[in-house]
Structure formats: C-alpha cells, structure tokens
Amino acid sequence: MIELLGQPLTAALLGGLGGVLLGLAARLGRFCTLGAIEDLLYGGSSHRMRMWGLAIGVAMLGSFTLGGFGLINIDRAFHLTIAFSWAPAIFGGLIFGYGMALAGTCGFGALARLGGGDLRAFVIVLVMGLAAFAVLSGPLAPARAFLFPRQLNAGPSDGIAHALSALTGGSVPMIGVAVGMAICALMLSARAFRRDFRMVFWAVIAGLAIVSGWAGTAWLAQTGFGTQTLMSHSYAAPVGETLLYAMQGSVRPLSFGIGSVSGVWVGAFLGSLWQGHFRWEACEDPRELRRQIFGAGLMGAGAVIAMGCTIGQGISAISVLAFSGPVTLASIFAGAALGLRQLIVGFRNNPV
C-alpha cells in the first residue's frame, strides 16, 4: 500500500478513516464536548457526558490491548514523549474551554457543523486554524516558547499507567486495560444510558476511531520509508495545517492530521445527508459572530499551549493515560463552565 500510494497519502487515508468515523459520531450520535458539559450543568442529563467517558474507556482498552500484543509502543505515543508540565495544561485548557463556550463549539464540533452546511462554523475553523499556527510557529511562537517551554521526556514516560506500574510492579498494558474497563463499567452503570443504543454505539465508534489512529501511525512508523510520529486524532494545529495545504498543496505533503480533519468533514457531511439535515446556515447577528471569532481565536491559542484539544488531549492523550490528558480535560471543563455561566446567566449584564 505504501509502495503504491506513497507514505504521505497513506497517512492521510488512515487519518481520514478515523476522521470519517468521528464525523459520523458527531452528526448521528450527537457526540459533542460542549453539548455534554451544557447538558450536565444546565440540562439535568449526564448521558452525553457518559458517552464521552465511554469513548475514553473504549479508546483506552483498545490502545493498551494493542500495546500488550506489541502492535504499538505506548512509550512512543506523542503525549508521553513530551515532559508533562502543569502550567500549559491548565492555562491552555482554561483558555480553550472558555473560547469553546464563546464560539459555541470546539474545533472538532465546528468541522462537524461545517459538514452540515453551517457557514458560521467555517469562520470558526478558519480563525482557529490561523490562531493555532500564529502561536505554534508564527509571530506569537517566541512568547509561547518562553512562557510555556516544551521539553522532550528524557526519563520514564509521563503516564499514569507507567507511574502505577513503578509503584505496584504490574505491567503497563494490564494496568491500562484495567483502568479502561473500570471507566467503561462506570459509564455503563446508568441503566437509562445503557438503554440508549444510539449513544452507546457511537461512543464505542468514537473510541475505536482513536484506536485506529494509534494503530495506523504505529504501522506507518514500522513499515514506512520516512519518519512517523505515533499519534492519534486532534483538531487544533492539524486544522491550520489543512488550511496551509489547501493553499500550498504543491509544496506541502499530506499528513495524518490533514486526512483526519478532512475525514471529519466528510463523515459529518454524509451524516447530515443521511439525516436530511444538511442546510446552509449563516450568522445574522454581528454580536454573535464577534463572540464566535473571539472564541475561535482563544481555542486555537489554548490548544497549542496545551498541546491538544477536546479530542487530542480529552480522548487521545487520556487513552494512553498521559498525565496531561485528565489535567487538560478538567481545565477545559472549568473554562467552558465559566464561559457558559457568563453566556447563560450573566450575558445581559456582561455582553461579550
């Protein structure tokens, strides 16, 4: 396959496969981080939050099972090769979560909405991608590097399973599988959620999409001709990378991230057609558009600082039990809760 298509195109196709599954989960299963937080805080329902947790548990089970069989090297996962630091995880997560509330969706959710014809999401995608690259490698990169320096992990992997293995003597894969099973059991403990087949099904699909990312990039790293980072899906810097590819495709290679971003859009588009929900939508309120642009800029910056978004840190990093995953996800939750409170409770007194 690699000999026929080349490694860049193969990587993009592997990313696209998982991206399509995630896009379908977003449209057909209503798989959405902000929606889960809003339902929990203001809707009196934990179902979509349980859906998110089940996706994490399934992704963790799959990732550590592959690691146990030697099909992937968990230690080489991107989030475990970077030394964990509290400041960027917390600060970046808070900024991202607050921006997500202002924009009304995350980067992944914006791509899914764009697949349904929402042109407001197109603006969010553009601004988030530009902001991410401005902080990653643009004019704001020196400030980001000074305030939040990144260092490669020279010692043992910064992972929860690795720390527990050092304490107990148990194997890393077995600990990861046990934690994944416990999370799945906890999410499925609610009878009403278990009976919602659609939510359970698409949560499992979303988790398997993350596993496909680890498996695909591991296969490329082992059999490909060039270097390939062991990674799974994320929708911050890859959004900006996709925008650059759209403008400079003749001089920039395809990648797993570009395929993943494109796949979410395709999956969401197919899902919206299946439901008969595809329709063009635009923003009619300048104040709303201003808020969404500001929120998208915060999301792009925050995701780069935290090295991941709701998917990149919230599922992919947690699926390999990187310390950064739960810390960033909790910070995103706190930032989103603050933003939602401002919009829902204090919007009239504190317009954005």
Side-chain angles (χ1 to χ4, degrees):
M1 182 177 179
I2 299 178
E3 293 85 352
L4 178 64
L5 301 177
Q7 185 162 329
L9 179 55
T10 302
L13 290 174
L14 290 171
L17 173 63
V20 167
L21 294 178
L22 287 167
L24 288 170
R27 294 299 305 192
L28 301 181
R30 299 178 64 234
F31 186 71
C32 172
T33 317
L34 184 63
I37 295 172
E38 192 169 0
D39 284 357
L40 183 67
L41 296 179
Y42 298 100
S45 173
S46 65
H47 283 199
R48 285 210 280 180
M49 189 58 70
R50 287 181 179 274
M51 187 183 185
W52 197 265
L54 181 59
I56 291 173
V58 170
M60 196 179 298
L61 273 172
S63 301
F64 280 97
T65 297
L66 292 177
F69 283 103
L71 298 177
I72 67 173
N73 183 358
I74 294 289
D75 291 352
R76 300 308 304 161
F78 169 74
H79 301 93
L80 293 175
T81 60
I82 305 298
F84 171 66
S85 178
W86 287 93
I90 294 174
F91 185 72
L94 286 172
I95 290 177
F96 184 95
Y98 183 72
M100 179 173 68
L102 295 184
T105 185
C106 63
F108 164 69
L111 288 168
R113 290 186 181 184
L114 180 59
D118 191 339
L119 295 179
R120 294 167 298 185
F122 182 60
V123 175
I124 294 173
V125 169
L126 286 177
V127 174
M128 181 178 174
L130 291 172
F133 259 69
V135 175
L136 179 66
S137 57
L140 298 179
R144 188 261 310 158
F146 175 76
L147 294 172
F148 306 104
R150 297 179 184 177
Q151 295 181 346
L152 292 177
N153 189 7
S157 297
D158 276 337
I160 298 172
H162 294 78
L164 291 175
S165 175
L167 287 174
T168 65
S171 71
V172 169
M174 288 301 296
I175 291 173
V177 168
V179 175
M181 291 179 64
I183 292 175
C184 289
L186 179 62
M187 296 303 109
L188 292 170
S189 62
R191 180 180 301 178
F193 175 68
R194 289 199 308 271
R195 290 179 174 177
D196 193 328
F197 174 78
R198 184 185 66 170
M199 281 193 166
V200 172
F201 174 79
W202 286 111
V204 172
I205 292 298
L208 292 176
I210 301 302
V211 177
S212 76
W214 296 121
T217 54
W219 176 73
L220 279 175
Q222 293 169 3
T223 62
F225 303 109
T227 59
Q228 173 63 56
T229 302
L230 183 61
M231 61 191 298
S232 193
H233 300 277
S234 185
Y235 299 100
V239 173
E241 186 183 358
T242 304
L243 294 177
L244 287 177
Y245 179 80
M247 295 181 289
Q248 302 175 333
S250 61
V251 295
R252 296 183 67 89
L254 285 164
S255 67
F256 178 88
I258 293 173
S260 177
V261 168
S262 304
V264 170
W265 182 87
V266 171
F269 175 68
L270 294 175
S272 66
L273 290 181
W274 176 266
Q275 292 177 311
H277 289 172
F278 183 89
R279 62 182 181 274
W280 296 110
E281 298 181 65
C283 182
E284 299 178 356
D285 183 352
R287 186 173 64 176
E288 178 188 4
L289 181 60
R290 179 184 64 189
R291 187 175 70 247
Q292 290 175 336
I293 290 174
F294 182 61
L298 289 178
M299 282 196 295
V304 169
I305 292 171
M307 291 188 295
C309 59
T310 51
I311 299 292
Q313 287 285 3
I315 304 184
S316 294
I318 298 181
S319 73
V320 293
L321 284 173
F323 281 122
S324 62
V327 174
T328 304
L329 184 59
S331 300
I332 289 174
F333 187 105
L338 176 63
L340 287 171
R341 179 173 178 81
Q342 178 182 1
L343 293 174
I344 295 174
V345 178
F347 180 75
R348 290 183 178 179
N349 296 325
N350 299 287
V352 176

